[in-house]
Every structure is written in structure tokens, then in C-alpha cells.
């Protein structure tokens, strides 16, 4: 009989204890981070999307050769007037070749960061961008070159030609 | 109350509509239709908002946010859920008893809806003022059990059958302590009319029935609250739909709008039992403030007092509903035998003892 009442009192007490614990969580700040609206700041050495500043690139092909999965395609032409690029040690370098195509197929990337380690001018770097999902495999190939030589600009001019007579008015 | 409504509608119609000399029975049907849709709309809104509130409270108690992206603070989430449920495929299993399977959710829903027809929401707001209000509520809410058993049996699924049987056993056993709680209140009030029960609790918070014979009435309130939680299959007692044991219980096989009816029935039931608890023990639409303060604020304005009463009623009901949600996300589920022993070995003797002692107290 004593046990009966004791168990009832204990049961009610344990319910109250549990309710005190849960109400504490109701009142404290929530652990949720509402992802698309707010994000965690990435750590300093986080290796995300590979990006390249092709104006700095001197076409040394270091990154192309060292990449374990060969995801970088680099094409260049000889520059008429060599531009000047400042390398990581602060010295001026002549850029003898212009980059016409700098293609990174990020779907292959293993994010090892080897390509960035030996880059003399710091042109290629790992950004903190980690939202790389897309609907099409072709969208995962990123172009970074802005060619100064008009090799590729000639092509749009040809295709645009038939449209111009109608577009004159 | 009923006749007043009919007269009011008849007078309105005779004044503004070009119909004259229509029999009273027609106005009765019109009245039924109008108030039926009001109750249905109100209950469905509550069910939707209740589901939203449940998910929100659940999230907050688990240190997360819950739905907060559809509409302001996620308030329109229930509409999105409703649209989704309406657009779902309506499946009927091949092994099911087709007629009973189709009928079950509506019977359950009617049982819930019937309770709403007798609840006094405020001094002048209510569908009916039945003299046998409490008896009617006890009777009509039993339809829920029939709906659940029908759903469990007709699904042609062992989980459903087990869930239906468990639910029937649970609801029928827990109706005994609930009946005794009702009986004690009827004894104290001398009436089955809920408006009269509420009027007897007039004054201030001290006059509520929960404080009439302390601590017995408080114990009765606790017993009623626990038993009503079991009656509406809320979590410490959710063994009929225990998802880790029997998938979904009696609504395992239901989908689409039929499932939505079960869902709305559950939240409607939650509102109904909380409303009954607040009517019987917490003074219904009576304010907890003393009478003279209210007179100073509202004076003699009947409309204001009605709105104020409705506000108090909703506040009481919603706090009880919140308490149910809080308990749901705190406690684990009972085992079947524990649930039964709680009912028959604890709630029933305690409620009987409370009734006996209150009866003796009233005699002296």
C-alpha cells in the first residue's frame, strides 16, 4: 500500500521534472540555423570551389600537370605585348602567353588543393564556395579565361551576321 | 437559445428577403445549415491551426524551429498541408471492406463535430443550450470509438486491426474515470446543463469548481485531464497509433482526404476535451478576475462581455491544449498493460474516493 502511493507520487514528480527540462528548451535559443538565409562562416583554410584569376595566370602549366585527376584544361597563345604580372614574392614577371581557355571540370575535383600550392602568381585558388550542385553535368565545367586574343570572339560575329538585316529597323 | 435563433433568422428573412409565410421547419433547416457550416469551419480552422501549433511547439521543445516558411511565421502551413492532402491519391486497399472503409472517417468526424454543437463558447455564443449537455457529450463522443473500430476492422490490415482494438480498449476504460468526474461535477452543480455549470462558477478564480473542495477537486481535474488525454490518444497514451509498434494503428491504410479527416478529428477532439475540462473545472467563459473589476471595464455592454468571455474561454482551452502538447513531447509512450493498470488501479479508485468524500462534504 505504501509502495502504491509512493509510486504515484514519484510518477507525478518525474513528469514534472521532465516538463521542467522540456520547457527550458522552449525558452532558450534554438540550435537551428536557417540555411539559405544564414550560413556558417567557413574556416580560413577551407577548400571549396577551384577558381582562377586568368589575368594573373602566366600559363606555366604547373596546375595542369600536378592535378591528380587532370581536371584543368589550359590553352594559350603567344602574347603580342607581354603584360606584367606580380608574383607571390612581389617580383614582376613578364606574361609571355595569353590564356585563351581555362576550363575547370569541378565534377572531377577531389579538393586536394595541390594546384594552388605551387602557383607562382597565386592565380588559381580554392574559394569558400561550397554550393556546387547543379542539374546538368555540363554546368559543372567552369570557364575562367577572358581571352585578350579575339580567337573566339570571331565566331559570334559570324553567327550574328544573318540576324542584322532584319534587326536594322 | 435555439428558438431565439430561429426567430431572429425568420425576422431577418421576412424583413429583407421576398419570402413570406414559410413554415418554421424551413427556418430550422436554414438555421441548421448556417450553424453547421460555422461549426465545421471553426473546427477545421482549429484543427489546422492546432496541427501547426503542435509542430511549432514540438520544434521549440526540441530546440529547433518547426515550420516557419509558409506565410508569416509559417501560419499558412496548414493550408499547404490541406492542399497536399486533397491532391493525394485516394487509395483503398484490395483487402478492405470498401463501404466501412469509406464510412469510418466520417463517423469519427461526426462524433467530434457533435461535441462542438453543445459547447457554450461564451455567454451568448453557442449553438445549442441543451439541458442534458454533459450526457449528450458523453454519448456523442462515443461515436469516435465506433469510427476507430470500423477503420481498424475494415482496413484488412493486422496493424490497423490491432490499433483499432487497442484504441477501443483504451477509450472504453478511460471513459469510466471521465464519467465519474462528470458525475461529481453534476453532483456539485445539480445540473447537466453546461451553461448552468458555468454560471455557478461566477465571480472570480476562487469560485471555479477546481478550487471548490480542495484538494479533491484538483485531484479530480488531474484525473479528468489524464483520462481525456488517453481518450483522444495523445502521446503518453498513443498506443493505438504507436508508430514504432504498429505503424500507424487504425489509420495505417488511409491516405489523402480520409486521412485528413482522422487528423482533424484528433485535433478537434483535443479542443473538445480541453473545452470540457475548462467548462467543468475552470469556469468556462468566466473571467478569473473579480466581478467588480470587470464591471468597471465593460459595464453593461452585452457584446463586450460576450467577446471577453469568448477570449477567456479560448485562452483556457488553448493553455490546456498547449499542456497536452508539452506533455506529448516530454513523456515516452506507456506500455499497454501499464496504461490499463493506470486506469483501473489508480484513476478509478482515486476518482471514486474523491466523489465519495465530496458527496459527504456536501452533506455536512
Amino acid at each position: 500500500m505504501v509502495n502504491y502511493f509512493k509510486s504515484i507520487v514519484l510518477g507525478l514528480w518525474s513528469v514534472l521534472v521532465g516538463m521542467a527540462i522540456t520547457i527550458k528548451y522552449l525558452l532558450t535559443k534554438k540550435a537551428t540555423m536557417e540555411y539559405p538565409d544564414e550560413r556558417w562562416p567557413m574556416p580560413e583554410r577551407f577548400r571549396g570551389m577551384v577558381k582562377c584569376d586568368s589575368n594573373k595566370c602566366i600559363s606555366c602549366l604547373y596546375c595542369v600537370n600536378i592535378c591528380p585527376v587532370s581536371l584543368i584544361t589550359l590553352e594559350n597563345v603567344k602574347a603580342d605585348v607581354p603584360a606584367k604580372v606580380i608574383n607571390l614574392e612581389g617580383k614582376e614577371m613578364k606574361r609571355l602567353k595569353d590564356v585563351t581557355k581555362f576550363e575547370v571540370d569541378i565534377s572531377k575535383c577531389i579538393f586536394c588543393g595541390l594546384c594552388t600550392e605551387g602557383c607562382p602568381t597565386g592565380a588559381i585558388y580554392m574559394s569558400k564556395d561550397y554550393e556546387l550542385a547543379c542539374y546538368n553535368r555540363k554546368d559543372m565545367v567552369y570557364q575562367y579565361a577572358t581571352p585578350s586574343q579575339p580567337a573566339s570572339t570571331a565566331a559570334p560575329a559570324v553567327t550574328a551576321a544573318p540576324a542584322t538585316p532584319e534587326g536594322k529597323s | 437559445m435555439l428558438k431565439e435563433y430561429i426567430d431572429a433568422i425568420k425576422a431577418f428573412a421576412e424583413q429583407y428577403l421576398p419570402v413570406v409565410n414559410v413554415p418554421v421547419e424551413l427556418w430550422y433547416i436554414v438555421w441548421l445549415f448556417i450553424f453547421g457550416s460555422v461549426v465545421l469551419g471553426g473546427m477545421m480552422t482549429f484543427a489546422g491551426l492546432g496541427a501547426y501549433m503542435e509542430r511549432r511547439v514540438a520544434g521549440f521543445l526540441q530546440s529547433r524551429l518547426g515550420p516557419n516558411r509558409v506565410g508569416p511565421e509559417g501560419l499558412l502551413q496548414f493550408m499547404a498541408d490541406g492542399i497536399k492532402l486533397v491532391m493525394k491519391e485516394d487509395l483503398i486497399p484490395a483487402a478492405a471492406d470498401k463501404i466501412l472503409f469509406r464510412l469510418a472517417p466520417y463517423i469519427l468526424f461526426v462524433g467530434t463535430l457533435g461535441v462542438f454543437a453543445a459547447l457554450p463558447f461564451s455567454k451568448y455564443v453557442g449553438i445549442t443550450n441543451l439541458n442534458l449537455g454533459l450526457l449528450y457529450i458523453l454519448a456523442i463522443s462515443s461515436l469516435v470509438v465506433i469510427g476507430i473500430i470500423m477503420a481498424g476492422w475494415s482496413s484488412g490490415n493486422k496493424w490497423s486491426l490491432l490499433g483499432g482494438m487497442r484504441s477501443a480498449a483504451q477509450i472504453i476504460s478511460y471513459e469510466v474515470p471521465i464519467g465519474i468526474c462528470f458525475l461529481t461535477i453534476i453532483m456539485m452543480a445539480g445540473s447537466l446543463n453546461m451553461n448552468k455549470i458555468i454560471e455557478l462558477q461566477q465571480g472570480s478564480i476562487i469560485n471555479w469548481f477546481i478550487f471548490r473542495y480542495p484538494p479533491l477537486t484538483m485531484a479530480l481535474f488531474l484525473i479528468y485531464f489524464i483520462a481525456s488525454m488517453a481518450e483522444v490518444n495523445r502521446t503518453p497514451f498513443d498506443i493505438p497509433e504507436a508508430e514504432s509498434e504498429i505503424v500507424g494503428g487504425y489509420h495505417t491504410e488511409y491516405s489523402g482526404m480520409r486521412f485528413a479527416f482522422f487528423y482533424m478529428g484528433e485535433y478537434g477532439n483535443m479542443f473538445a476535451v480541453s473545452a470540457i475540462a475548462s467548462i467543468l473545472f475552470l469556469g468556462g467563459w468566466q473571467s478569473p478576475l473579480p466581478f467588480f473589476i470587470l464591471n468597471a471595464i465593460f459595464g453593461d455592454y452585452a457584446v463586450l462581455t460576450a467577446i471577453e468571455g469568448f477570449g477567456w474561454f479560448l485562452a483556457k482551452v488553448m493553455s490546456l491544449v498547449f499542456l497536452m502538447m508539452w506533455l506529448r513531447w516530454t513523456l515516452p509512450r506507456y506500455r499497454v498493460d501499464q496504461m490499463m493498470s493506470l486506469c483501473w488501479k489508480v484513476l478509478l479508485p482515486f476518482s471514486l474516493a474523491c466523489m465519495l468524500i465530496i458527496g459527504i462534504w456536501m452533506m455536512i
Side-chain angles (χ1 to χ4, degrees):
Chain A
M1 201 62 190
V2 178
N3 273 339
Y4 172 76
F5 287 109
K6 212 172 155 186
S7 69
I8 290 170
V9 172
L10 261 177
L12 282 175
W13 176 247
S14 69
V15 168
L16 289 180
V17 169
M19 284 168 82
I21 291 170
T22 42
I23 201 75
K24 219 160 45 189
Y25 280 95
L26 184 103
L27 300 171
T28 49
K29 200 177 173 298
K30 307 294 167 283
T32 310
M33 167 160 289
E34 289 187 82
Y35 161 60
D37 297 341
E38 40 186 300
R39 290 143 207 259
W40 292 106
M42 282 298 124
E44 201 186 322
R45 292 169 65 186
F46 180 79
R47 299 200 294 261
M49 174 75 199
V50 178
K51 284 188 177 169
C52 179
D53 181 1
S54 63
N55 289 328
K56 276 185 179 176
C57 180
I58 56 167
S59 304
C60 67
L61 300 186
Y62 170 82
C63 49
V64 178
N65 292 332
I66 200 150
C67 182
V69 286
S70 313
L71 57 85
I72 303 170
T73 320
L74 205 157
E75 284 170 11
N76 49 34
V77 289
K78 194 172 180 190
D80 299 335
V81 187
K84 277 170 188 170
V85 179
I86 296 167
N87 74 357
L88 286 176
E89 284 145 16
K91 289 179 191 163
E92 258 187 21
M93 289 175 91
K94 274 186 183 172
R95 199 171 77 156
L96 299 170
K97 292 167 187 164
D98 277 347
V99 183
T100 53
K101 187 180 181 189
F102 196 107
E103 204 176 86
V104 174
D105 186 358
I106 204 69
S107 61
K108 287 185 196 164
C109 188
I110 59 170
F111 301 97
C112 61
L114 278 178
C115 50
T116 65
E117 273 169 26
C119 186
T121 57
I124 192 163
Y125 61 98
M126 308 292 277
S127 69
K128 286 174 185 163
D129 193 356
Y130 52 86
E131 289 152 317
L132 306 174
C134 54
Y135 287 104
N136 196 330
R137 220 178 259 207
K138 283 173 193 156
D139 295 345
M140 302 201 84
V141 181
Y142 289 81
Q143 307 282 353
Y144 289 118
T146 45
S148 52
Q149 289 283 327
S152 57
T153 50
V158 172
T159 50
T164 41
E166 291 148 38
K168 261 180 185 175
S169 63
Chain B
M1 210 182 252
L2 191 144
K3 199 164 181 313
E4 290 160 27
Y5 281 132
I6 299 172
D7 289 345
I9 292 169
K10 200 181 168 190
F12 175 83
E14 276 172 354
Q15 201 176 345
Y16 295 104
L17 302 175
V19 277
V20 276
N21 294 330
V22 185
V24 179
E25 285 74 19
L26 188 72
W27 296 122
Y28 184 68
I29 290 167
V30 169
W31 171 83
L32 275 182
F33 189 76
I34 292 172
F35 282 87
S37 35
V38 166
V39 171
L40 189 68
M43 195 198 132
M44 282 166 98
T45 315
F46 170 76
L49 290 176
Y52 162 75
M53 184 180 159
E54 166 101 63
R55 290 172 66 183
R56 238 7 212 169
V57 168
F60 274 46
L61 289 175
Q62 294 171 343
S63 192
R64 54 191 177 84
L65 290 168
N68 67 343
R69 303 201 76 89
V70 190
E73 286 295 306
L75 263 172
L76 298 178
Q77 182 69 43
F78 74 94
M79 295 181 96
D81 288 348
I83 291 167
K84 175 210 161 202
L85 282 170
V86 169
M87 280 160 60
K88 272 207 158 182
E89 189 186 355
D90 183 25
L91 286 169
I92 297 176
D97 185 329
K98 307 261 177 328
I99 299 169
L100 289 185
F101 187 82
R102 289 205 175 116
L103 205 59
Y106 307 118
I107 285 185
L108 184 139
F109 195 70
V110 163
T112 311
L113 205 60
V115 177
F116 276 72
L119 292 178
F121 290 97
S122 180
K123 196 164 189 177
Y124 307 104
V125 183
I127 310 302
T128 49
N129 186 10
L130 288 176
N131 277 331
L132 286 172
L134 281 177
L135 189 67
Y136 165 78
I137 280 179
L138 261 184
I140 197 93
S141 61
S142 299
L143 267 181
V144 173
V145 193
I146 299 176
I148 287 174
I149 294 180
M150 268 168 75
W153 176 256
S154 65
S155 288
N157 178 325
K158 54 193 167 196
W159 309 124
S160 298
L161 183 60
L162 272 173
M165 288 301 156
R166 282 180 176 194
S167 185
Q170 175 175 325
I171 292 180
I172 288 168
S173 355
Y174 276 85
E175 240 163 36
V176 178
I178 285 181
I180 289 166
C181 288
F182 276 20
L183 209 57
T184 317
I185 295 296
I186 292 162
M187 215 160 73
M188 281 156 71
S191 170
L192 284 155
N193 185 327
M194 285 198 276
N195 271 317
K196 204 165 174 200
I197 290 171
I198 291 170
E199 262 152 33
L200 283 170
Q201 305 177 55
Q202 206 168 39
S204 65
I205 193 164
I206 317 156
N207 289 7
W208 290 359
F209 275 163
I210 187 173
F211 301 118
R212 186 60 61 85
Y213 299 110
L216 298 168
T217 37
M218 292 166 193
L220 264 185
F221 175 69
L222 196 64
I223 289 166
Y224 176 77
F225 188 70
I226 294 170
S228 67
M229 247 182 351
E231 177 117 331
V232 299
N233 300 333
R234 295 292 296 175
T235 274
F237 307 98
D238 72 336
I239 52 168
E241 45 193 273
E243 57 263 40
S244 46
E245 298 164 25
I246 49 171
V247 194
Y250 50 87
H251 53 58
T252 305
E253 296 289 356
Y254 282 90
S255 64
M257 211 51 210
R258 276 183 247 282
F259 176 74
F261 269 99
F262 277 114
Y263 215 69
M264 283 191 285
E266 188 188 327
Y267 284 99
N269 265 330
M270 246 169 96
F271 188 91
V273 293
S274 302
I276 294 164
S278 76
I279 287 163
L280 295 187
F281 293 98
L282 306 177
W285 37 262
Q286 301 283 4
S287 157
L289 303 170
F291 217 55
F292 60 90
I293 295 178
L294 292 173
N295 268 348
I297 301 170
F298 298 109
D300 293 331
Y301 297 108
V303 179
L304 276 183
T305 30
I307 293 171
E308 179 242 1
F310 189 60
W312 284 119
F313 182 74
L314 265 190
K316 286 168 189 172
V317 172
M318 291 320 278
S319 26
L320 286 179
V321 167
F322 173 74
L323 197 60
M324 281 188 176
M325 291 174 178
W326 183 5
L327 277 167
R328 170 170 182 184
W329 298 101
T330 302
L331 299 176
R333 187 184 306 128
Y334 272 107
R335 227 163 46 212
V336 182
D337 63 311
Q338 286 173 332
M339 186 269 293
M340 281 297 171
S341 67
L342 176 72
C343 177
W344 295 108
K345 288 185 184 165
V346 181
L347 296 186
L348 185 63
F350 268 81
S351 56
L352 278 172
C354 282
M355 188 175 79
L356 187 69
I357 299 169
I358 287 174
I360 294 167
W361 195 332
M362 283 168 69
M363 299 263 288
I364 47 178

